[in-house]
Amino acid sequence: MIAWNLISDDPRTVARDPQPAYRNMVSLVLDEVRRGIDRVAAMPESSRDLIQEYRAVQLRASGSSVYLADPQTVNARLQDVVGDARREILAAQPGGPRKREVLEGAVSRDSHALDRGVELRTIYRDTVRDHALTAEYARTMAARTGGRPAQYRTVVGDFERMVIVDREQAVVPDHIVEGSAPHAAWLVTDPAVVAVLAQVFEAEWRRGQPWSGELRARGGVVDTVSGTGGVRTNARQRVILRYLCAEESQPSIARKLEVSKRALETEIAELKALWGVHTLNGLVFQYALSPDRLIDDSAAAEDGPETAVA
């Protein structure tokens, strides 16, 4: 009764007019109802924010994939994963020639894995065959007499970067997080996804050319994109020429470059005109004799973070 303000709480109990008390209680109840309605009205907006946050967290740290947001995190996780390898390390490295400090650190690290009996297979771009430092590293690792020797193959053209360990874990570049750092990556542990990645690697391995660190027999070695006299092609034209030298068919090259067959034919015609030849054989021959073949268009990739396997 006191709460309803129907009686006073003075020392002497006194009844009060119930009408003002009733109006006061109705007002209080209505205020509470309005606050409840406001909370309910705000729930959809709040729930949308929560759903978005939840999905973002699940995307970056699901049960089968972990998002690695920066190069330092990528390399630290790779060190752990590669260091725990028991059977096999498959590495696809499209970045071109390695930097000296990376190669020097890789000899010790990779030797420990090979000494444990781990099989190490690495795919490089064809341009490493012109790079003395990378070639020296490959010769050292391929000629090992204790434990296992490492195996290398080179591929003309582009391929996807990946490191697969024991066919149980894989580290791959990020292609789905909007605004991510240039060298962000994912650690993938889903068995089905890792199995598919291993098949992609094996397909590239089959089309690669075995390499044990031999430098190409040439008068000079060029592993930068500048400073070579007489170069007449741009980077895209050299990609096409490398595919042609690797005996890729024109339909296959067009698919890889994501252009129509007619557009590719036009580009090849321009290349023929550049050297004044009329056949593909003549074009490939002229390219093989030119300084253009010495240009390493992947040299700029050395500036990015290196994976744990050189």
Side-chain angles (χ1 to χ4, degrees), residues 43-59:
M43 282 182 181
E45 187 67 30
S46 299
S47 66
R48 279 195 294 269
D49 293 341
L50 288 172
I51 290 170
Q52 290 174 358
E53 289 296 325
Y54 174 80
R55 288 176 177 172
V57 170
Q58 291 301 303
L59 178 66

Short mmCIF file of all heavy atoms in Angstrom, two decimals, residues 43-59:
data_model
loop_
_atom_site.label_atom_id
_atom_site.label_comp_id
_atom_site.label_asym_id
_atom_site.label_seq_id
_atom_site.Cartn_x
_atom_site.Cartn_y
_atom_site.Cartn_z
N MET A 43 16.20 -4.72 -31.19
CA MET A 43 16.78 -6.07 -31.27
C MET A 43 17.21 -6.46 -32.69
O MET A 43 18.29 -7.03 -32.87
CB MET A 43 15.79 -7.09 -30.71
CG MET A 43 15.76 -7.13 -29.20
SD MET A 43 14.63 -8.38 -28.56
CE MET A 43 14.83 -8.12 -26.80
N PRO A 44 16.42 -6.20 -33.75
CA PRO A 44 16.87 -6.60 -35.09
C PRO A 44 18.20 -5.97 -35.47
O PRO A 44 19.08 -6.64 -36.02
CB PRO A 44 15.73 -6.11 -35.99
CG PRO A 44 14.53 -6.08 -35.11
CD PRO A 44 15.05 -5.66 -33.77
N GLU A 45 18.36 -4.67 -35.17
CA GLU A 45 19.62 -4.00 -35.52
C GLU A 45 20.77 -4.59 -34.72
O GLU A 45 21.87 -4.85 -35.26
CB GLU A 45 19.49 -2.50 -35.24
CG GLU A 45 20.69 -1.68 -35.72
CD GLU A 45 20.80 -1.67 -37.23
OE1 GLU A 45 19.76 -1.76 -37.91
OE2 GLU A 45 21.94 -1.58 -37.72
N SER A 46 20.53 -4.81 -33.42
CA SER A 46 21.59 -5.38 -32.58
C SER A 46 21.94 -6.79 -33.03
O SER A 46 23.11 -7.19 -33.06
CB SER A 46 21.14 -5.40 -31.11
OG SER A 46 20.88 -4.09 -30.66
N SER A 47 20.91 -7.55 -33.39
CA SER A 47 21.16 -8.93 -33.80
C SER A 47 21.94 -8.98 -35.11
O SER A 47 22.80 -9.84 -35.29
CB SER A 47 19.84 -9.69 -33.95
OG SER A 47 19.06 -9.16 -35.00
N ARG A 48 21.68 -8.03 -36.02
CA ARG A 48 22.44 -8.01 -37.26
C ARG A 48 23.92 -7.77 -36.99
O ARG A 48 24.79 -8.41 -37.59
CB ARG A 48 21.89 -6.92 -38.18
CG ARG A 48 20.65 -7.34 -38.97
CD ARG A 48 20.38 -6.37 -40.10
NE ARG A 48 20.03 -5.05 -39.61
CZ ARG A 48 18.78 -4.65 -39.36
NH1 ARG A 48 17.77 -5.51 -39.52
NH2 ARG A 48 18.53 -3.42 -38.93
N ASP A 49 24.21 -6.82 -36.08
CA ASP A 49 25.61 -6.57 -35.73
C ASP A 49 26.26 -7.81 -35.12
O ASP A 49 27.40 -8.18 -35.46
CB ASP A 49 25.71 -5.40 -34.74
CG ASP A 49 25.28 -4.08 -35.38
OD1 ASP A 49 25.28 -4.01 -36.62
OD2 ASP A 49 24.94 -3.15 -34.63
N LEU A 50 25.53 -8.48 -34.23
CA LEU A 50 26.07 -9.68 -33.59
C LEU A 50 26.30 -10.79 -34.60
O LEU A 50 27.31 -11.50 -34.55
CB LEU A 50 25.12 -10.15 -32.49
CG LEU A 50 25.08 -9.29 -31.22
CD1 LEU A 50 23.95 -9.76 -30.31
CD2 LEU A 50 26.41 -9.35 -30.50
N ILE A 51 25.36 -10.95 -35.53
CA ILE A 51 25.48 -12.00 -36.55
C ILE A 51 26.70 -11.74 -37.42
O ILE A 51 27.47 -12.65 -37.74
CB ILE A 51 24.19 -12.09 -37.40
CG1 ILE A 51 23.05 -12.66 -36.54
CG2 ILE A 51 24.41 -12.95 -38.64
CD1 ILE A 51 21.69 -12.54 -37.21
N GLN A 52 26.89 -10.46 -37.81
CA GLN A 52 28.04 -10.13 -38.63
C GLN A 52 29.35 -10.40 -37.91
O GLN A 52 30.30 -10.94 -38.47
CB GLN A 52 27.96 -8.67 -39.08
CG GLN A 52 26.85 -8.40 -40.09
CD GLN A 52 26.70 -6.92 -40.40
OE1 GLN A 52 27.40 -6.08 -39.84
NE2 GLN A 52 25.78 -6.60 -41.30
N GLU A 53 29.40 -10.01 -36.63
CA GLU A 53 30.62 -10.26 -35.85
C GLU A 53 30.88 -11.75 -35.70
O GLU A 53 32.01 -12.22 -35.82
CB GLU A 53 30.50 -9.60 -34.47
CG GLU A 53 30.57 -8.09 -34.49
CD GLU A 53 31.91 -7.58 -34.99
OE1 GLU A 53 32.93 -8.24 -34.70
OE2 GLU A 53 31.94 -6.56 -35.68
N TYR A 54 29.82 -12.50 -35.44
CA TYR A 54 29.95 -13.95 -35.27
C TYR A 54 30.48 -14.60 -36.55
O TYR A 54 31.39 -15.42 -36.52
CB TYR A 54 28.60 -14.56 -34.90
CG TYR A 54 28.62 -16.08 -34.84
CD1 TYR A 54 29.13 -16.75 -33.74
CD2 TYR A 54 28.11 -16.83 -35.90
CE1 TYR A 54 29.14 -18.14 -33.69
CE2 TYR A 54 28.12 -18.21 -35.86
CZ TYR A 54 28.63 -18.86 -34.75
OH TYR A 54 28.65 -20.23 -34.72
N ARG A 55 29.88 -14.21 -37.68
CA ARG A 55 30.32 -14.79 -38.95
C ARG A 55 31.76 -14.42 -39.27
O ARG A 55 32.51 -15.23 -39.82
CB ARG A 55 29.39 -14.34 -40.08
CG ARG A 55 28.01 -15.00 -40.01
CD ARG A 55 27.09 -14.46 -41.08
NE ARG A 55 25.79 -15.14 -41.04
CZ ARG A 55 24.73 -14.77 -41.76
NH1 ARG A 55 24.81 -13.71 -42.55
NH2 ARG A 55 23.60 -15.46 -41.69
N ALA A 56 32.14 -13.19 -38.92
CA ALA A 56 33.52 -12.77 -39.17
C ALA A 56 34.51 -13.61 -38.36
O ALA A 56 35.56 -14.03 -38.86
CB ALA A 56 33.69 -11.29 -38.85
N VAL A 57 34.15 -13.87 -37.10
CA VAL A 57 35.01 -14.70 -36.25
C VAL A 57 35.08 -16.11 -36.78
O VAL A 57 36.14 -16.74 -36.85
CB VAL A 57 34.51 -14.67 -34.79
CG1 VAL A 57 35.26 -15.71 -33.97
CG2 VAL A 57 34.69 -13.29 -34.19
N GLN A 58 33.91 -16.65 -37.18
CA GLN A 58 33.90 -18.01 -37.70
C GLN A 58 34.70 -18.11 -38.98
O GLN A 58 35.38 -19.11 -39.23
CB GLN A 58 32.44 -18.44 -37.97
CG GLN A 58 31.63 -18.64 -36.70
CD GLN A 58 32.23 -19.69 -35.79
OE1 GLN A 58 32.44 -20.83 -36.20
NE2 GLN A 58 32.54 -19.30 -34.57
N LEU A 59 34.65 -17.05 -39.81
CA LEU A 59 35.39 -17.06 -41.06
C LEU A 59 36.88 -17.11 -40.80
O LEU A 59 37.63 -17.81 -41.46
CB LEU A 59 35.04 -15.81 -41.87
CG LEU A 59 35.77 -15.62 -43.20
CD1 LEU A 59 35.36 -16.70 -44.19
CD2 LEU A 59 35.49 -14.24 -43.78
#
